Amino acid sequence: MKLLDISRELTRAPVYPGDPPPVLRPLSHLALGDVCNLTAVDMCLHNGTHLDAPLHFLPDGGDAAQTPLDVCVGECYVVDFEGVLLGAQAEQIIERLHPERLLFRGRMEISPSAAFVLSGTEVKLVGVEAPSVAPPESAAAVHRQLLGGGVYLLEGLDLSAAREGYYFLFAAPLKIAGADGAPVRAVLLERTLSV
């Protein structure tokens, strides 16, 4: 078995336009005679690799602490895709793969028509490498469609070391009550055949 870390380093990850970047704030230092090193972090919950909870766009949606673990842990498929995913393309991918968790490798965005298609399937989670699944002009519509349809969103992935194919995904968010999203350390388990 091989583990692939598909998370971005938090302080160097791209930040969604308008979101504050994460900042580490030292509280104590061994070098200054303190008993330990201690650091606080100031950040948006949507910095780096993170999960969008339904509360992000739905006023009565569940928070990060309510995220069912079976959404973020289980078999997934990594698919190579570049550009804007349209509804017809989403239908073809779903008909071919029948995934519960789908991660897109490449520079891509989900259109409103693709969000409509995905939200009407057995897909529980969609992941992308960008800080957001949707282009800015349709971000609210795409997020509402997917989250309202029971599809959680894993954003800010680094799939550069993954090839297209099936994996086992572990991407549980931090358990934060009242949070509209949460940081994730996302890992793919690649099964290798022993000879």
Side-chain angles (χ1 to χ4, degrees):
M1 290 188 291
K2 180 179 177 183
L3 293 176
L4 297 176
D5 186 350
I6 59 169
S7 305
R8 295 192 185 274
E9 195 283 320
L10 181 65
T11 62
R12 290 185 223 130
V15 176
Y16 189 79
D19 286 355
V23 176
L24 298 179
R25 190 168 35 90
L27 301 176
S28 65
H29 299 278
L30 285 170
L32 298 177
D34 294 323
V35 69
C36 66
N37 289 316
L38 187 63
T39 306
V41 62
D42 298 317
M43 62 179 279
C44 171
L45 293 174
H46 299 270
N47 288 145
T49 305
H50 66 277
L51 183 101
D52 284 357
L55 184 60
H56 188 34
F57 276 89
L58 306 173
D60 297 324
D63 63 19
Q66 296 169 320
T67 302
L69 289 179
D70 71 338
V71 164
C72 343
V73 178
E75 296 290 331
C76 76
Y77 194 89
V78 173
V79 63
D80 291 331
F81 192 87
E82 296 284 332
V84 178
L85 181 71
L86 302 175
Q89 294 165 313
E91 285 177 352
Q92 291 171 352
I93 290 169
I94 297 302
E95 287 173 10
R96 181 170 56 99
L97 303 173
H98 305 286
E100 287 189 344
R101 293 162 207 85
L102 186 59
L103 308 182
F104 288 96
R105 181 178 187 264
R107 295 181 57 150
M108 65 87 63
E109 297 171 324
I110 297 173
S111 70
S113 65
F116 178 78
V117 168
L118 291 167
S119 66
T121 67
E122 297 299 315
V123 173
K124 299 178 182 181
L125 177 119
V126 169
V128 297
E129 294 192 276
S132 176
V133 296
E137 64 275 7
S138 59
V142 168
H143 279 82
R144 283 190 191 106
Q145 181 68 49
L146 289 167
L147 294 168
V151 181
Y152 285 75
L153 306 175
L154 188 56
E155 299 170 324
L157 295 169
D158 177 2
L159 295 165
S160 59
R163 297 183 311 265
E164 184 164 332
Y166 287 101
Y167 295 86
F168 190 89
L169 171 69
F170 181 84
L174 293 180
K175 192 174 184 177
I176 308 172
D180 49 73
V184 168
R185 181 71 180 262
V187 177
L188 290 178
L189 175 62
E190 181 180 46
R191 294 195 175 105
T192 55
L193 299 175
S194 50
V195 202

